Amino acid sequence: MIDDKIVVGITQGDINGVGYEVIIKTLVDTRINEMCVPIVYGSSKVASFHRKALGIENFSLNVINSAEEANSKRSNIINCIQDEIKVELSKQTEEAGEASILALEKATEDLKNGLIDVLVTAPINKKNIKAEKFNFPGHTEYLAEKFSNGNKGIMLMVSDRLRVAVVSAHVPISELSKAISKESIMAKLKILRDTMIRDFGVVRPRIAVLGLNPHAGDNGLIGNEEQDIIIPAIKDATSEGILAFGPYPADGFFGAGNYKNFDAVLAMYHDQGLTPFKAIAQDSGVSFTAGLPIIRTSPIHGTAYDKAGVGETCEDSFRNALYLAIDVYNNRKNYAEMTANPLV
């Protein structure tokens, strides 16, 4: 913290996408500086390019060499790119991928060293960022490798109306059945239960579990995964004090608004959970990496090359990602104080 404010590290993401647009549109509101100290990891020249493209005049980032130099009353930026870099709006380039990696590496290093308190990541392109230094499907897996200490993080989609996690995230449909096991469901349920308590302040979280097959298998008529894997996992979770319910057919569950009766939902695979989530909270939702000792959030949209430089991208998702990171930090602090041994 700096001057009792939470220090928020922000990675630039893909410089040819809408990352800088949502960052600048969020930080131009000076009320942000009253609640936190933002530090963008990227390039001041690239930030200036995007600021001019957006036609925003009364805003600038305070250039610093290290997080220790951050001005607590300003939004700051650390140059992570030493050489000149060309911004090519809406284009997927290797140069942009390398710039994404450099910013993420520096921010991750500062997060590990306690120089920033939380991390908010702008969208990357998972194809052009592929390199020896980043051989991961996305941010979640990268950060799990860096900070997990043996525990894998999970992607949790968060809005004011719905929270959704998935058992298998970036897995091809053809391999889904192999990725679903009683052990994997139990592991995700434990992480989901713990993050609801510690990070969101829900004392006794109720978790809905979705089925894998249409109609949740229809008692074995449409697949056996529910009978053989999912229901036994729910029973084991219940025996361990986790309030898990289901399995529910995904279509009826979301269509009837049943998700409103639960604190979180565990879907079996990526599109089963994220499709309804984005239909409900596309502009405002946030991706949170749960189950790790560090706090990382991100907007739920991608690089949106088709909108880059146009100025039409809504910044609500990114702004909410910043707010959520701060909220989780405070919730963890409160939880640690409430559960601390008074005799120590």
Side-chain angles (χ1 to χ4, degrees), residues 50-62:
H50 282 274
R51 178 185 61 79
K52 292 177 181 177
L54 293 170
I56 296 175
E57 298 180 358
N58 299 322
F59 175 77
S60 64
L61 291 164
N62 179 48

Side-chain angles (χ1 to χ4, degrees), residues 205-255:
R206 291 168 51 86
I207 302 171
V209 181
L210 303 183
L212 174 64
N213 298 295
H215 306 295
D218 205 2
N219 294 317
L221 294 176
I222 314 174
N224 298 314
E225 285 83 2
E226 284 76 14
Q227 303 294 321
D228 298 341
I229 299 173
I230 301 175
I231 292 175
I234 293 174
K235 289 181 178 178
D236 286 355
T238 302
S239 68
E240 295 191 20
I242 299 174
L243 300 180
F245 304 87
Y248 297 100
D251 56 350
F253 180 82
F254 289 107

Side-chain angles (χ1 to χ4, degrees), residues 34-65:
E34 298 174 6
M35 67 178 72
C36 67
V37 182
I39 301 176
V40 178
Y41 289 79
S43 164
S44 58
K45 290 184 178 180
V46 173
S48 179
F49 175 95
H50 282 274
R51 178 185 61 79
K52 292 177 181 177
L54 293 170
I56 296 175
E57 298 180 358
N58 299 322
F59 175 77
S60 64
L61 291 164
N62 179 48
V63 181
I64 56 178
N65 294 316

